[in-house]
């Protein structure tokens, strides 16, 4: 029930028809919806890592490299160049360096249920990080919650994201995972994802 810009919203899912009807009766209207696709582990996910790339051991993660990948991987380059926070002197001005500081805090002080040992990071031959896929493994319900997924712009359409998700599949299926989350992008359906969670967003009319 996020409160954004002092405006109460509701986020409701498939199977919550009673709540949707109650929301309508109280003046809420659905303003946006999307389908978050999921991968069923009864199928096989089998995409190999392209030549010239390698997986990074989670014990060797470089936080600055990861922050830089996040900056460009989520298409923030048009807001400015990424700057290493430790090398930036004027902390009063906003710069992309702030993204490093925020990501550093998230990695150094992870939430209680974070499972960063199952994250997948791919680097190129020079050691630069080019693809990242986060993983929140929930053994209680056999669900592999993948979030987030990004690839550096210059390394896209080479099969890296599919290889990263395959790595999740190979690691987590032996642990009992039965499904893995994805997103609404057609990419997921292309590699074998199917019906998943239907998100609906509601605001007051």
């Amino acid at each position: 029930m996020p409160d954004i810009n002092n405006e109460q919203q509701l986020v409701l899912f498939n199977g919550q028809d009673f709540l949707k009807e109650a929301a309508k009766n109280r003046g809420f209207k659905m303003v946006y919806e999307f389908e978050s696709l999921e991968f069923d582990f009864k199928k096989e996910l089998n995409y190999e890592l392209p030549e010239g790339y390698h997986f990074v051991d989670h014990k060797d993660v470089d936080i600055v490299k990861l922050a830089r990948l996040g900056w460009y991987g989520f298409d923030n380059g048009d807001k400015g160049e990424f700057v290493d926070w430790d090398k930036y002197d004027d902390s009063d001005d906003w710069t992309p360096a702030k993204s490093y500081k925020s990501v550093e805090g998230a990695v150094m002080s992870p939430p209680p249920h974070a499972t960063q040992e199952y994250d997948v990071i791919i680097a190129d031959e020079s050691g630069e990080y080019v693809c990242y896929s986060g993983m929140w493994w929930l053994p209680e319900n056999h669900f592999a919650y993948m979030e987030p997924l990004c690839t550096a712009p210059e390394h896209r359409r080479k099969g890296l994201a599919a290889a990263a998700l395959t790595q999740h599949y190979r690691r987590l299926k032996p642990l009992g995972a039965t499904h893995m989350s994805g997103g609404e992008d057609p990419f997921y359906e292309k590699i074998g994802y199917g019906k998943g969670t239907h998100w609906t967003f509601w605001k007051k009319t």
Side-chain angles (χ1 to χ4, degrees):
M1 297 174 61
D3 185 353
I4 301 174
N5 298 324
N6 294 318
E7 185 178 17
Q8 192 69 60
Q9 298 184 35
L10 302 176
V11 184
L12 301 174
F13 303 91
N14 45 322
Q16 295 184 319
D17 294 337
F18 179 86
L19 293 178
K20 292 177 183 178
E21 191 62 31
K24 290 179 184 177
N25 293 337
R26 287 160 177 76
F28 284 84
K29 180 181 179 181
M30 188 179 70
V31 294
Y32 180 67
E33 62 181 324
F34 74 91
E35 185 87 10
S36 179
L37 302 177
E38 293 179 4
F39 187 80
D40 188 337
F41 278 28
K42 291 178 182 177
K43 299 187 289 185
E44 184 178 5
L45 197 56
N46 190 25
Y47 291 89
E48 299 300 331
L49 194 62
E51 186 176 351
Y53 297 94
H54 63 274
F55 293 113
V56 178
D57 191 300
H58 78 275
K59 297 177 183 177
D60 301 323
V61 174
D62 184 316
I63 183 59
V64 179
K65 288 183 179 181
L66 185 58
R68 183 182 294 111
L69 169 60
W71 183 253
Y72 294 110
F74 287 106
D75 298 319
N76 291 305
D78 59 348
K79 299 176 184 176
E81 294 300 314
F82 177 84
V83 182
D84 185 341
W85 180 260
D86 290 337
K87 299 177 182 177
Y88 184 68
D89 296 325
D90 188 0
S91 60
D92 293 331
D93 295 332
W94 185 91
T95 74
K98 297 283 179 82
S99 69
Y100 159 44
K101 186 176 182 182
S102 64
V103 173
E104 177 190 36
V107 173
M108 299 306 292
S109 302
H113 300 291
T115 54
Q116 293 168 305
E117 66 270 26
Y118 297 112
D119 289 352
V120 174
I121 300 173
I122 298 174
D124 63 11
E125 290 179 317
S126 70
E128 195 65 31
Y129 295 176
V130 297
C131 182
Y132 169 64
S133 182
M135 176 52 61
W136 303 72
W137 165 226
L138 305 172
E140 295 84 359
N141 59 7
H142 312 286
F143 191 71
Y145 185 78
M146 187 282 300
E147 174 69 29
L149 175 63
C150 70
T151 303
E154 64 272 24
H155 293 272
R156 291 173 183 168
R157 301 188 181 280
K158 296 183 179 180
L160 296 178
L165 295 175
T166 296
Q167 187 76 340
H168 286 315
Y169 168 81
R170 291 173 177 172
R171 287 178 177 176
L172 295 170
K173 186 172 183 177
L175 299 182
T178 61
H179 292 80
M180 179 165 58
S181 69
E184 60 179 325
D185 192 283
F187 154 76
Y188 293 100
E189 191 170 14
K190 183 179 179 181
I191 66 171
Y193 275 66
K195 185 175 178 59
T197 302
H198 190 80
W199 297 63
T200 63
F201 298 80
W202 302 69
K203 290 183 180 181
K204 281 278 190 178
T205 55

